[in-house]
Amino acid sequence: MRAPDPRTLTQLPPVVTFASGAELLVRLKLARNMSREGVRRLSKHPEWPFGPDRPYPYWDLANADVMETEPFLKFFEAHPITGRGPDKRPRGEP
């Protein structure tokens, strides 16, 4: 595995994919943990800014949908991720 470019740790990328967006949210501490599938689930939110008939389009780049970073981050700042919290219920018998 190649070493990441140090600039990626200090600068914001111009665009993100669902996977790189999830990593960025964790790096900027907007989420404690996040996966690309978590971002995909959150993209179902009625105020999600990307997609057809939305303010920002998805861009197709190398078989991936990419999104502009600024509106992506603004969405998560306006809609903080609270998570579901720890599961404290006792486990039932199978």
Side-chain angles (χ1 to χ4, degrees):
M1 181 175 205
R2 66 181 182 163
D5 187 323
R7 292 174 295 183
T8 63
L9 301 176
T10 57
Q11 297 178 5
L12 292 178
V15 294
V16 293
T17 62
F18 286 98
S20 65
E23 292 172 4
L24 184 62
L25 292 172
V26 172
R27 186 181 65 152
L28 296 177
K29 296 181 176 36
L30 292 173
R32 221 175 58 188
N33 55 25
M34 180 61 66
S35 68
R36 64 184 166 87
E37 290 305 317
V39 176
R40 283 193 186 280
R41 271 188 236 107
L42 291 168
S43 73
K44 305 295 183 214
H45 191 282
E47 294 179 34
W48 183 250
F50 300 98
D53 302 326
R54 302 287 174 111
Y56 300 95
Y58 287 115
W59 299 91
D60 188 35
L61 180 66
N63 290 335
D65 288 332
V66 295
M67 303 163 274
E68 296 174 48
T69 303
E70 186 178 334
F72 178 82
L73 292 177
K74 283 183 181 180
F75 173 81
F76 285 100
E77 289 167 356
H79 302 90
I81 300 165
T82 56
R84 63 180 182 196
D87 185 4
K88 296 182 180 177
R89 289 183 295 154
R91 295 286 175 224
E93 292 189 27

